[in-house]
PDB file of all heavy atoms in Angstrom:
ATOM      1  N   ALA A 531      13.139 -16.145 -12.779  1.00 87.00           N
ATOM      2  CA  ALA A 531      13.337 -17.535 -13.182  1.00 87.00           C
ATOM      3  C   ALA A 531      12.244 -18.431 -12.615  1.00 87.00           C
ATOM      4  O   ALA A 531      11.690 -19.287 -13.325  1.00 87.00           O
ATOM      5  CB  ALA A 531      14.714 -18.017 -12.722  1.00 87.00           C
ATOM      6  N   MET A 532      11.899 -18.243 -11.340  1.00 84.00           N
ATOM      7  CA  MET A 532      10.853 -19.066 -10.744  1.00 84.00           C
ATOM      8  C   MET A 532       9.497 -18.759 -11.359  1.00 84.00           C
ATOM      9  O   MET A 532       8.658 -19.648 -11.522  1.00 84.00           O
ATOM     10  CB  MET A 532      10.818 -18.839  -9.233  1.00 84.00           C
ATOM     11  CG  MET A 532      12.056 -19.343  -8.505  1.00 84.00           C
ATOM     12  SD  MET A 532      12.392 -21.089  -8.815  1.00 84.00           S
ATOM     13  CE  MET A 532      10.912 -21.850  -8.183  1.00 84.00           C
ATOM     14  N   ARG A 533       9.275 -17.510 -11.698  1.00 82.00           N
ATOM     15  CA  ARG A 533       8.030 -17.158 -12.379  1.00 82.00           C
ATOM     16  C   ARG A 533       7.960 -17.843 -13.743  1.00 82.00           C
ATOM     17  O   ARG A 533       6.922 -18.383 -14.131  1.00 82.00           O
ATOM     18  CB  ARG A 533       7.967 -15.636 -12.538  1.00 82.00           C
ATOM     19  CG  ARG A 533       6.773 -15.123 -13.308  1.00 82.00           C
ATOM     20  CD  ARG A 533       5.546 -15.070 -12.456  1.00 82.00           C
ATOM     21  NE  ARG A 533       4.465 -14.370 -13.118  1.00 82.00           N
ATOM     22  CZ  ARG A 533       3.310 -14.086 -12.558  1.00 82.00           C
ATOM     23  NH1 ARG A 533       3.088 -14.432 -11.314  1.00 82.00           N
ATOM     24  NH2 ARG A 533       2.367 -13.459 -13.221  1.00 82.00           N
ATOM     25  N   TRP A 534       9.062 -17.839 -14.468  1.00 86.00           N
ATOM     26  CA  TRP A 534       9.103 -18.471 -15.786  1.00 86.00           C
ATOM     27  C   TRP A 534       8.885 -19.978 -15.661  1.00 86.00           C
ATOM     28  O   TRP A 534       8.152 -20.580 -16.451  1.00 86.00           O
ATOM     29  CB  TRP A 534      10.447 -18.179 -16.449  1.00 86.00           C
ATOM     30  CG  TRP A 534      10.565 -18.718 -17.841  1.00 86.00           C
ATOM     31  CD1 TRP A 534      10.214 -18.100 -18.999  1.00 86.00           C
ATOM     32  CD2 TRP A 534      11.079 -20.007 -18.213  1.00 86.00           C
ATOM     33  NE1 TRP A 534      10.465 -18.908 -20.076  1.00 86.00           N
ATOM     34  CE2 TRP A 534      10.998 -20.094 -19.622  1.00 86.00           C
ATOM     35  CE3 TRP A 534      11.587 -21.085 -17.510  1.00 86.00           C
ATOM     36  CZ2 TRP A 534      11.412 -21.219 -20.325  1.00 86.00           C
ATOM     37  CZ3 TRP A 534      11.998 -22.214 -18.198  1.00 86.00           C
ATOM     38  CH2 TRP A 534      11.912 -22.276 -19.592  1.00 86.00           C
ATOM     39  N   ILE A 535       9.515 -20.599 -14.665  1.00 85.00           N
ATOM     40  CA  ILE A 535       9.370 -22.046 -14.467  1.00 85.00           C
ATOM     41  C   ILE A 535       7.922 -22.410 -14.185  1.00 85.00           C
ATOM     42  O   ILE A 535       7.390 -23.398 -14.700  1.00 85.00           O
ATOM     43  CB  ILE A 535      10.293 -22.508 -13.321  1.00 85.00           C
ATOM     44  CG1 ILE A 535      11.758 -22.412 -13.756  1.00 85.00           C
ATOM     45  CG2 ILE A 535       9.961 -23.932 -12.889  1.00 85.00           C
ATOM     46  CD1 ILE A 535      12.740 -22.661 -12.633  1.00 85.00           C
ATOM     47  N   SER A 536       7.247 -21.593 -13.359  1.00 80.00           N
ATOM     48  CA  SER A 536       5.863 -21.908 -13.002  1.00 80.00           C
ATOM     49  C   SER A 536       4.913 -21.782 -14.179  1.00 80.00           C
ATOM     50  O   SER A 536       3.805 -22.322 -14.137  1.00 80.00           O
ATOM     51  CB  SER A 536       5.400 -20.990 -11.869  1.00 80.00           C
ATOM     52  OG  SER A 536       5.275 -19.653 -12.328  1.00 80.00           O
ATOM     53  N   LEU A 537       5.324 -21.074 -15.228  1.00 81.00           N
ATOM     54  CA  LEU A 537       4.457 -20.869 -16.389  1.00 81.00           C
ATOM     55  C   LEU A 537       4.719 -21.875 -17.506  1.00 81.00           C
ATOM     56  O   LEU A 537       4.048 -21.810 -18.540  1.00 81.00           O
ATOM     57  CB  LEU A 537       4.643 -19.446 -16.934  1.00 81.00           C
ATOM     58  CG  LEU A 537       4.277 -18.305 -15.976  1.00 81.00           C
ATOM     59  CD1 LEU A 537       4.588 -16.960 -16.615  1.00 81.00           C
ATOM     60  CD2 LEU A 537       2.815 -18.380 -15.572  1.00 81.00           C
ATOM     61  N   GLN A 538       5.672 -22.805 -17.322  1.00 84.00           N
ATOM     62  CA  GLN A 538       5.995 -23.778 -18.359  1.00 84.00           C
ATOM     63  C   GLN A 538       5.166 -25.046 -18.177  1.00 84.00           C
ATOM     64  O   GLN A 538       5.288 -25.725 -17.154  1.00 84.00           O
ATOM     65  CB  GLN A 538       7.489 -24.118 -18.332  1.00 84.00           C
ATOM     66  CG  GLN A 538       8.396 -22.915 -18.477  1.00 84.00           C
ATOM     67  CD  GLN A 538       8.045 -22.071 -19.685  1.00 84.00           C
ATOM     68  OE1 GLN A 538       7.948 -22.576 -20.806  1.00 84.00           O
ATOM     69  NE2 GLN A 538       7.851 -20.779 -19.464  1.00 84.00           N
ATOM     70  N   PRO A 539       4.312 -25.398 -19.147  1.00 82.00           N
ATOM     71  CA  PRO A 539       3.483 -26.610 -19.003  1.00 82.00           C
ATOM     72  C   PRO A 539       4.314 -27.874 -18.830  1.00 82.00           C
ATOM     73  O   PRO A 539       3.936 -28.770 -18.066  1.00 82.00           O
ATOM     74  CB  PRO A 539       2.673 -26.633 -20.308  1.00 82.00           C
ATOM     75  CG  PRO A 539       2.688 -25.219 -20.802  1.00 82.00           C
ATOM     76  CD  PRO A 539       4.008 -24.663 -20.377  1.00 82.00           C
ATOM     77  N   ALA A 540       5.455 -27.976 -19.538  1.00 80.00           N
ATOM     78  CA  ALA A 540       6.263 -29.194 -19.445  1.00 80.00           C
ATOM     79  C   ALA A 540       6.797 -29.399 -18.034  1.00 80.00           C
ATOM     80  O   ALA A 540       6.864 -30.536 -17.543  1.00 80.00           O
ATOM     81  CB  ALA A 540       7.416 -29.127 -20.448  1.00 80.00           C
ATOM     82  N   LEU A 541       7.178 -28.319 -17.361  1.00 83.00           N
ATOM     83  CA  LEU A 541       7.699 -28.441 -16.001  1.00 83.00           C
ATOM     84  C   LEU A 541       6.589 -28.602 -14.971  1.00 83.00           C
ATOM     85  O   LEU A 541       6.866 -28.953 -13.824  1.00 83.00           O
ATOM     86  CB  LEU A 541       8.550 -27.213 -15.662  1.00 83.00           C
ATOM     87  CG  LEU A 541       9.861 -27.101 -16.446  1.00 83.00           C
ATOM     88  CD1 LEU A 541      10.553 -25.789 -16.136  1.00 83.00           C
ATOM     89  CD2 LEU A 541      10.775 -28.278 -16.121  1.00 83.00           C
ATOM     90  N   ASN A 542       5.353 -28.322 -15.351  1.00 77.00           N
ATOM     91  CA  ASN A 542       4.226 -28.536 -14.445  1.00 77.00           C
ATOM     92  C   ASN A 542       3.655 -29.943 -14.552  1.00 77.00           C
ATOM     93  O   ASN A 542       2.715 -30.280 -13.823  1.00 77.00           O
ATOM     94  CB  ASN A 542       3.114 -27.520 -14.730  1.00 77.00           C
ATOM     95  CG  ASN A 542       3.522 -26.112 -14.351  1.00 77.00           C
ATOM     96  OD1 ASN A 542       4.368 -25.919 -13.493  1.00 77.00           O
ATOM     97  ND2 ASN A 542       2.924 -25.125 -14.999  1.00 77.00           N
ATOM     98  N   ARG A 543       4.207 -30.756 -15.480  1.00 76.00           N
ATOM     99  CA  ARG A 543       3.714 -32.125 -15.653  1.00 76.00           C
ATOM    100  C   ARG A 543       4.725 -33.163 -15.182  1.00 76.00           C
ATOM    101  O   ARG A 543       4.567 -34.349 -15.458  1.00 76.00           O
ATOM    102  CB  ARG A 543       3.379 -32.369 -17.128  1.00 76.00           C
ATOM    103  CG  ARG A 543       2.177 -31.592 -17.629  1.00 76.00           C
ATOM    104  CD  ARG A 543       1.692 -32.140 -18.965  1.00 76.00           C
ATOM    105  NE  ARG A 543       2.697 -31.995 -20.002  1.00 76.00           N
ATOM    106  CZ  ARG A 543       2.732 -30.984 -20.864  1.00 76.00           C
ATOM    107  NH1 ARG A 543       1.806 -30.036 -20.790  1.00 76.00           N
ATOM    108  NH2 ARG A 543       3.664 -30.915 -21.793  1.00 76.00           N
ATOM    109  N   THR A 544       5.771 -32.729 -14.492  1.00 77.00           N
ATOM    110  CA  THR A 544       6.739 -33.691 -13.970  1.00 77.00           C
ATOM    111  C   THR A 544       6.112 -34.507 -12.843  1.00 77.00           C
ATOM    112  O   THR A 544       5.085 -34.132 -12.271  1.00 77.00           O
ATOM    113  CB  THR A 544       7.990 -32.965 -13.456  1.00 77.00           C
ATOM    114  OG1 THR A 544       7.604 -32.055 -12.431  1.00 77.00           O
ATOM    115  CG2 THR A 544       8.665 -32.198 -14.582  1.00 77.00           C
ATOM    116  N   ARG A 545       6.756 -35.623 -12.488  1.00 75.00           N
ATOM    117  CA  ARG A 545       6.194 -36.520 -11.478  1.00 75.00           C
ATOM    118  C   ARG A 545       6.332 -35.953 -10.073  1.00 75.00           C
ATOM    119  O   ARG A 545       5.519 -36.239  -9.208  1.00 75.00           O
ATOM    120  CB  ARG A 545       6.879 -37.887 -11.564  1.00 75.00           C
ATOM    121  CG  ARG A 545       6.556 -38.637 -12.850  1.00 75.00           C
ATOM    122  CD  ARG A 545       7.307 -39.955 -12.956  1.00 75.00           C
ATOM    123  NE  ARG A 545       7.065 -40.810 -11.808  1.00 75.00           N
ATOM    124  CZ  ARG A 545       8.011 -41.201 -10.961  1.00 75.00           C
ATOM    125  NH1 ARG A 545       9.264 -40.780 -11.129  1.00 75.00           N
ATOM    126  NH2 ARG A 545       7.728 -41.992  -9.946  1.00 75.00           N
ATOM    127  N   GLN A 546       7.371 -35.171  -9.811  1.00 77.00           N
ATOM    128  CA  GLN A 546       7.570 -34.579  -8.486  1.00 77.00           C
ATOM    129  C   GLN A 546       7.365 -33.068  -8.589  1.00 77.00           C
ATOM    130  O   GLN A 546       8.131 -32.377  -9.269  1.00 77.00           O
ATOM    131  CB  GLN A 546       8.973 -34.881  -7.943  1.00 77.00           C
ATOM    132  CG  GLN A 546       9.235 -36.350  -7.677  1.00 77.00           C
ATOM    133  CD  GLN A 546       9.803 -37.077  -8.872  1.00 77.00           C
ATOM    134  OE1 GLN A 546      10.206 -36.440  -9.844  1.00 77.00           O
ATOM    135  NE2 GLN A 546       9.808 -38.397  -8.823  1.00 77.00           N
ATOM    136  N   LEU A 547       6.324 -32.566  -7.911  1.00 75.00           N
ATOM    137  CA  LEU A 547       5.970 -31.150  -7.980  1.00 75.00           C
ATOM    138  C   LEU A 547       5.869 -30.561  -6.580  1.00 75.00           C
ATOM    139  O   LEU A 547       5.618 -31.276  -5.601  1.00 75.00           O
ATOM    140  CB  LEU A 547       4.634 -30.957  -8.705  1.00 75.00           C
ATOM    141  CG  LEU A 547       4.591 -31.296 -10.198  1.00 75.00           C
ATOM    142  CD1 LEU A 547       3.163 -31.235 -10.707  1.00 75.00           C
ATOM    143  CD2 LEU A 547       5.471 -30.340 -10.988  1.00 75.00           C
ATOM    144  N   VAL A 548       6.053 -29.251  -6.512  1.00 77.00           N
ATOM    145  CA  VAL A 548       5.818 -28.491  -5.290  1.00 77.00           C
ATOM    146  C   VAL A 548       4.657 -27.551  -5.569  1.00 77.00           C
ATOM    147  O   VAL A 548       4.729 -26.725  -6.485  1.00 77.00           O
ATOM    148  CB  VAL A 548       7.069 -27.685  -4.866  1.00 77.00           C
ATOM    149  CG1 VAL A 548       6.759 -26.839  -3.640  1.00 77.00           C
ATOM    150  CG2 VAL A 548       8.231 -28.618  -4.585  1.00 77.00           C
ATOM    151  N   ALA A 549       3.590 -27.680  -4.801  1.00 75.00           N
ATOM    152  CA  ALA A 549       2.411 -26.826  -4.967  1.00 75.00           C
ATOM    153  C   ALA A 549       2.452 -25.710  -3.934  1.00 75.00           C
ATOM    154  O   ALA A 549       2.821 -25.923  -2.777  1.00 75.00           O
ATOM    155  CB  ALA A 549       1.129 -27.635  -4.816  1.00 75.00           C
ATOM    156  N   GLY A 550       2.077 -24.509  -4.345  1.00 69.00           N
ATOM    157  CA  GLY A 550       2.065 -23.375  -3.429  1.00 69.00           C
ATOM    158  C   GLY A 550       1.501 -22.149  -4.096  1.00 69.00           C
ATOM    159  O   GLY A 550       1.189 -22.144  -5.291  1.00 69.00           O
ATOM    160  N   THR A 551       1.353 -21.086  -3.296  1.00 64.00           N
ATOM    161  CA  THR A 551       0.844 -19.816  -3.817  1.00 64.00           C
ATOM    162  C   THR A 551       1.967 -18.867  -4.165  1.00 64.00           C
ATOM    163  O   THR A 551       1.719 -17.757  -4.611  1.00 64.00           O
ATOM    164  CB  THR A 551      -0.075 -19.149  -2.786  1.00 64.00           C
ATOM    165  OG1 THR A 551       0.650 -18.975  -1.565  1.00 64.00           O
ATOM    166  CG2 THR A 551      -1.293 -20.012  -2.527  1.00 64.00           C
ATOM    167  N   ARG A 552       3.215 -19.273  -3.939  1.00 58.00           N
ATOM    168  CA  ARG A 552       4.377 -18.495  -4.353  1.00 58.00           C
ATOM    169  C   ARG A 552       5.249 -19.357  -5.231  1.00 58.00           C
ATOM    170  O   ARG A 552       5.318 -20.574  -5.063  1.00 58.00           O
ATOM    171  CB  ARG A 552       5.196 -18.023  -3.149  1.00 58.00           C
ATOM    172  CG  ARG A 552       4.581 -16.834  -2.423  1.00 58.00           C
ATOM    173  CD  ARG A 552       5.532 -16.348  -1.363  1.00 58.00           C
ATOM    174  NE  ARG A 552       5.045 -15.129  -0.734  1.00 58.00           N
ATOM    175  CZ  ARG A 552       5.712 -14.467   0.193  1.00 58.00           C
ATOM    176  NH1 ARG A 552       6.886 -14.907   0.588  1.00 58.00           N
ATOM    177  NH2 ARG A 552       5.224 -13.376   0.724  1.00 58.00           N
ATOM    178  N   THR A 553       5.931 -18.719  -6.153  1.00 50.00           N
ATOM    179  CA  THR A 553       6.794 -19.469  -7.051  1.00 50.00           C
ATOM    180  C   THR A 553       8.210 -19.565  -6.527  1.00 50.00           C
ATOM    181  O   THR A 553       9.010 -20.328  -7.048  1.00 50.00           O
ATOM    182  CB  THR A 553       6.832 -18.788  -8.428  1.00 50.00           C
ATOM    183  OG1 THR A 553       7.302 -17.449  -8.269  1.00 50.00           O
ATOM    184  CG2 THR A 553       5.452 -18.761  -9.043  1.00 50.00           C
ATOM    185  N   SER A 554       8.548 -18.781  -5.515  1.00 49.00           N
ATOM    186  CA  SER A 554       9.914 -18.772  -5.016  1.00 49.00           C
ATOM    187  C   SER A 554       9.908 -18.956  -3.517  1.00 49.00           C
ATOM    188  O   SER A 554       8.870 -19.008  -2.878  1.00 49.00           O
ATOM    189  CB  SER A 554      10.611 -17.460  -5.389  1.00 49.00           C
ATOM    190  OG  SER A 554       9.850 -16.365  -4.946  1.00 49.00           O
ATOM    191  N   LEU A 555      11.092 -19.061  -2.952  1.00 44.00           N
ATOM    192  CA  LEU A 555      11.213 -19.232  -1.515  1.00 44.00           C
ATOM    193  C   LEU A 555      10.777 -17.971  -0.790  1.00 44.00           C
ATOM    194  O   LEU A 555      10.604 -16.917  -1.381  1.00 44.00           O
ATOM    195  CB  LEU A 555      12.671 -19.565  -1.165  1.00 44.00           C
ATOM    196  CG  LEU A 555      13.201 -20.891  -1.729  1.00 44.00           C
ATOM    197  CD1 LEU A 555      14.669 -21.032  -1.384  1.00 44.00           C
ATOM    198  CD2 LEU A 555      12.425 -22.075  -1.191  1.00 44.00           C
TER     199      LEU A 555
END
Side-chain angles (χ1 to χ4, degrees):
M532 293 304 299
R533 176 80 170 186
W534 183 89
I535 290 172
S536 69
L537 298 177
Q538 303 308 307
L541 292 174
N542 291 334
R543 291 195 297 264
T544 59
R545 293 177 56 243
Q546 295 90 12
L547 293 172
V548 176
T551 57
R552 283 187 174 183
T553 58
S554 54
L555 296 176

